Amino acid sequence: MSISSSIQHIMEEFSAGIARVRSSADIDSLRVRFLGRKGPIQRLMQELKALPSEERPLAGKEINELKKSVQNALDLLNEKLQTEETTHRLEKEFLDVTLPGRRRFCGGKHVVMQTLDRVIDIFVGMGFSVQYGPDIESDYYNFGGLNFTEDHPARDMQDTFYIDQEHLLRTHTSNTQVRVMESNQPPIRAIAPGKCFRNEDITARSHVFFHQVEGFYIDHDVSFADLLTTLDLFLKKLFSDDVKVRFRPSYFPFVEPGMEVDVHCYNCNGQGCRVCKHTGWLEILGAGMIHPEVLKNGGIDSEEFTGYAWGMGIERLVMLKHGINDIRYFTENNMQFLTQFT
């Protein structure tokens, strides 16, 4: 079929489609159908490559005129429909100016920030200071200083937003760790709360940031037992004395040995469900003994000092604490959901 015949066929289909439009939603559907990346007009543009060079200018002009014609027709009809819909809505609505004004409600902290404050309070009570690092970070402090070499496979675990070759949006609050070591000498006992950014484009409603608390302690003779005791005490203070916890060996490039910490699934009480992927447990944090190379990068003698570190996601803790089964609820601004926690 020639370009001209194809254009004629598209116009006939478009005319039939626009005749069936009854709302602005129909307009959007028609716009995607004909002007979208997989629409017939875009396919015609691709077919230009196969035409002889002397025919392309004229064919390209015809396709552009078709595109403008479709766009203008949709815009005009959309404006008309929106005016009609607004007029219809105003005719149906009634405003009684004698009614008393609506009560103004006081705002409150988001449930994620409430939990973050509680976590900070617990660790401050255990002797940890609070340190903050930049959201826009260098590759060194986010990766290199934490024992990620340039070709390290663990970098593939992070879906990173790079600003340029040397700068990025931090993927964890662990970027604070080497910075604090460089400006302090042991004993160092600190937590670093804040936002982290990762490219997790799973669905149209997925988000790209979350909140994390990094914690670390460096001193003479710090042991793995100290780490287990600290985390066990923290979880009991946050949840309850009878919280069920398990520790599993795991790998992170900035600790050795490393582990992950799981808590009994709140949704099924350990029986297995969709939330815990039918395991009965939910992973809440990664931890371990700080790698000697990380201590060295921070200017600390790894022969004299040892330390532990952990990183935990706040959203996961909120889900556990309040029985929430979808992390996307935190960013949808649904007042019915949020007002439950004020």
Side-chain angles (χ1 to χ4, degrees):
M1 185 181 293
S2 67
I3 293 291
S4 297
S5 300
S6 297
I7 289 175
Q8 181 63 32
H9 180 67
I10 291 171
M11 280 304 299
E12 291 174 357
E13 284 191 354
F14 177 72
S15 298
I18 207 168
R20 294 191 293 269
V21 168
R22 295 293 179 270
S23 68
S24 54
D26 295 338
I27 291 284
D28 293 336
S29 177
L30 207 61
R31 193 185 304 274
V32 171
R33 176 183 168 190
F34 284 92
L35 298 176
R37 288 184 297 174
K38 297 182 180 180
I41 296 178
Q42 187 62 33
R43 287 199 297 270
L44 281 182
M45 296 296 292
Q46 298 296 325
E47 292 176 9
L48 281 176
K49 300 176 183 177
L51 292 178
S53 57
E54 64 273 9
E55 296 181 16
R56 291 177 193 166
L58 180 60
K61 181 180 178 182
E62 291 178 349
I63 294 172
N64 283 330
E65 289 176 351
L66 169 64
K67 186 175 181 179
K68 289 180 182 178
S69 177
V70 170
Q71 183 70 61
N72 290 338
L74 289 172
D75 289 344
L76 288 172
L77 184 56
N78 187 51
E79 184 178 350
K80 177 185 176 183
L81 286 174
Q82 286 186 342
T83 301
E84 291 176 353
E85 289 171 359
T86 301
T87 302
H88 180 67
R89 188 177 70 252
L90 291 175
E91 289 175 350
K92 290 178 63 178
E93 292 177 351
F94 175 73
L95 177 63
D96 187 348
V97 295
T98 66
L99 289 174
R102 293 179 180 174
R103 178 183 174 188
R104 291 180 178 270
F105 292 93
C106 293
K109 278 193 175 182
H110 194 284
V111 61
V112 171
M113 301 311 297
Q114 292 178 34
T115 305
L116 180 59
D117 287 347
R118 175 59 180 153
V119 170
I120 292 173
D121 286 345
I122 292 173
F123 282 117
V124 168
M126 295 167 67
F128 287 81
S129 66
V130 182
Q131 306 289 335
Y132 294 94
D135 290 346
I136 298 176
E137 186 58 279
S138 69
D139 183 85
Y140 173 75
Y141 285 111
N142 196 83
F143 289 126
L146 295 173
N147 205 34
F148 289 82
T149 58
E150 289 191 5
D151 59 348
H152 200 295
R155 283 181 182 253
D156 296 334
M157 296 161 58
Q158 317 281 353
D159 298 317
T160 308
F161 286 105
Y162 279 94
I163 297 172
D164 55 39
Q165 289 186 340
E166 295 299 325
H167 297 88
L168 47 87
L169 296 180
R170 66 178 179 184
T171 60
H172 44 203
T173 56
S174 305
N175 69 316
T176 310
Q177 197 174 128
V178 174
R179 287 181 176 274
V180 173
M181 291 183 202
E182 288 176 339
S183 56
N184 297 274
Q185 281 299 307
I188 302 172
R189 184 183 279 129
I191 59 170
K195 286 183 179 179
C196 308
F197 305 85
R198 295 183 191 176
N199 183 14
E200 298 179 348
D201 189 13
I202 301 169
T203 71
R205 296 194 301 163
S206 64
H207 53 279
V208 297
F209 74 87
F210 57 96
H211 297 81
Q212 190 181 70
V213 171
E214 167 84 5
F216 52 99
Y217 174 39
I218 304 169
D219 202 351
H220 294 285
D221 302 320
V222 174
S223 68
F224 207 89
D226 296 323
L227 170 61
L228 295 177
T229 302
T230 301
L231 294 178
D232 184 64
L233 179 60
F234 163 73
L235 292 172
K236 286 180 178 178
K237 285 179 175 291
L238 183 66
F239 294 107
S240 66
D241 287 339
D242 59 352
V243 61
K244 295 181 180 179
V245 182
R246 73 175 183 181
F247 303 96
R248 294 181 292 106
S250 187
Y251 167 75
F252 303 98
F254 34 85
V255 293
E256 179 61 39
M259 69 172 182
E260 290 183 345
V261 181
D262 301 332
V263 172
H264 229 213
C265 179
Y266 60 85
N267 193 55
C268 64
N269 197 28
Q271 298 302 308
C273 65
R274 181 183 64 84
V275 175
C276 63
K277 298 180 180 178
H278 302 284
T279 65
W281 297 89
L282 284 169
E283 183 265 324
I284 59 170
L285 64 90
M289 299 302 293
I290 299 176
H291 198 288
E293 283 298 316
V294 177
L295 292 173
K296 177 182 175 182
N297 292 334
I300 293 176
D301 186 354
S302 61
E303 295 293 329
E304 183 179 356
F305 298 100
T306 56
Y308 61 67
W310 76 83
M312 64 180 72
I314 298 301
E315 281 80 357
R316 182 59 64 88
L317 294 179
V318 180
M319 293 173 71
L320 278 166
K321 192 170 179 62
H322 296 287
I324 300 166
N325 59 16
D326 193 333
I327 197 171
R328 293 172 296 189
Y329 291 155
F330 299 135
T331 55
E332 290 181 338
N333 295 326
N334 184 323
M335 293 306 296
Q336 284 185 312
F337 171 77
L338 294 175
T339 52
Q340 298 177 86
F341 309 101
T342 56

